Amino acid sequence: MTITATATPGTSLISPTDHVLVLIDFQSQMAFATKSISTELLRNNAALISQAAKSFDVPAILTTVAVDSFSGPMFDEIKAAFPGQAMLDRTSMNTWEDQGVIDEINRIGKTRIVFAGLWTGVCIVGPVASAIDQGFDCYFIADACGDISVEAHDRAVQRMIQLGAKPMTALQYLLELQRDWARTATYDSTTGIAKKWGGAYGLGVTYAKTMFGASEGGH
């Protein structure tokens, strides 16, 4: 059988218009016990994906648990990307069991969901498993999630993959949204986000632009 290649993206690749980003329990109390990733890197990656979603107009749901009585406020890095957006506070460990969150999922109306948050083995596994059970296409940003140990995080990641969820990273999320440097409308914001939160890659972008005015959009 002959297969003909075409210059079109795979359907499993995310785009700015095909998903909702759900950010769960990025709160002080949850971060204190997170040991699978450093707090500094966790906050950096949370900022990266939040700014990426904001830049590409991706709808986002921000949800907390016991914000006033126990867990504390959501990270400032996330609130800065979505100024004025309401935080949906819950009592349930499983976000998918909160009717307010589900109402927002249904209002937005996307069948593809990208998750990130704390802790991987509870706050992310729960909604991912539940959403997959109801027919949603689920992704999770593995390095914008964390758990009480590396073991706990890794087992949660394995479990979600076995259920059919797709793992990705924070920088991958940003670059998959851009996907073509010739998309000039978001070129400056994408490279700006990378320079600030993209680690060594961001340093490389800064160096190339400063030293010889490089631009990824050219050939």
Side-chain angles (χ1 to χ4, degrees):
M1 182 179 68
T2 301
I3 299 175
T4 302
T6 62
T8 53
T11 57
S12 67
L13 295 174
I14 62 168
S15 74
T17 59
D18 73 354
H19 72 283
V20 56
L21 177 66
V22 181
L23 302 178
I24 302 172
D25 301 352
F26 283 101
Q27 298 168 264
S28 302
Q29 182 63 33
M30 307 304 294
F32 292 155
T34 296
K35 304 301 181 185
S36 64
I37 184 173
S38 71
T39 305
E40 296 82 3
L41 184 56
L42 177 66
R43 291 178 67 178
N44 179 87
N45 291 345
L48 197 162
I49 62 175
S50 298
Q51 292 292 337
K54 182 66 173 180
S55 176
F56 285 90
D57 294 321
V58 174
I61 295 174
L62 314 179
T63 181
T64 56
V65 63
V67 67
D68 293 322
S69 61
F70 184 74
S71 299
M74 184 167 269
F75 291 0
D76 286 342
E77 291 85 352
I78 295 174
K79 293 192 289 185
F82 305 103
Q85 180 164 334
M87 309 287 160
L88 304 181
D89 198 44
R90 320 176 320 277
T91 60
S92 62
M93 285 183 278
N94 180 5
T95 295
W96 208 260
E97 295 179 44
D98 183 85
Q99 189 58 50
V101 173
I102 294 305
D103 289 345
E104 192 67 1
I105 291 284
N106 290 331
R107 183 190 69 80
I108 293 169
K110 304 293 183 182
T111 58
R112 178 171 285 175
I113 306 175
V114 178
F115 292 94
L118 307 176
W119 295 321
T120 322
V122 181
C123 305
I124 304 303
V125 165
V128 165
S130 303
I132 287 174
D133 222 32
Q134 295 177 19
F136 289 84
D137 184 19
C138 294
Y139 294 64
F140 62 96
I141 304 177
D143 63 351
C145 296
D147 214 315
I148 60 172
S149 67
V150 173
E151 175 81 8
H153 175 77
D154 289 349
R155 296 296 81 76
V157 166
Q158 286 181 317
R159 183 176 177 185
M160 289 188 287
I161 292 171
Q162 289 170 351
L163 290 169
K166 294 89 167 175
M168 60 193 313
T169 66
L171 188 57
Q172 181 184 1
Y173 180 72
L174 169 67
L175 297 181
E176 199 160 314
L177 291 175
Q178 178 69 27
R179 216 165 59 233
D180 188 338
W181 293 119
R183 294 175 177 168
T184 56
T186 51
Y187 176 86
D188 286 341
S189 64
T190 296
T191 55
I193 292 167
K195 284 190 287 185
K196 189 168 183 178
W197 291 288
Y201 171 65
L203 287 175
V205 172
T206 299
Y207 176 84
K209 291 185 176 298
T210 301
M211 299 304 291
F212 45 91
S215 175
E216 295 89 338
H219 291 287

